[in-house]
Amino acid sequence: SPHTRLNMKARHPRGPWTVREDDKRINVYWPNDKISPFAWVDNDDVDPKEAKANARLIAAAPDLLAACEVAMK
C-alpha cells in the first residue's frame, strides 16, 4: 500500500528497554541509561493502568520488531 512503509534501515538500541514510574509520568529508558528517558506517558493523560500498559508497549518495541522480522522471512 502506498500509505504503509516499513523502514528496515531504522536503528535503535537493542533491548531490553526499561520502564520506571515517578510521581508525574511513566518513563521508558534505553539500555544502560537510567537518567534520561527517551519516551514517557504522562499519568494525567489516561487511566493509570492504561498509561502503564502504553509504556510497557513502547518498551516492548525491540521484541516486537524481532518477531516481525522473523515473520517476514
Side-chain angles (χ1 to χ4, degrees):
S1 151
H3 299 289
T4 303
R5 300 211 186 267
L6 181 60
N7 182 357
M8 298 302 285
K9 296 181 191 274
R11 299 286 178 233
H12 62 276
R14 296 215 177 266
W17 297 355
T18 57
V19 174
R20 286 197 343 228
E21 190 171 355
D22 63 26
D23 292 339
K24 297 181 182 180
R25 61 189 192 185
I26 302 167
N27 301 299
V28 184
Y29 297 86
W30 301 126
N32 302 318
D33 183 357
K34 304 295 184 229
I35 307 279
S36 304
F38 74 89
W40 57 86
V41 179
D42 290 328
N43 288 334
D44 295 336
D45 290 346
V46 295
D47 176 84
K49 288 181 183 178
E50 185 177 344
K52 288 178 186 178
N54 289 340
R56 287 192 303 266
L57 182 58
I58 293 167
D63 293 332
L64 295 171
L65 175 62
C68 289
E69 290 172 339
V70 168
M72 292 179 67
K73 289 183 180 180

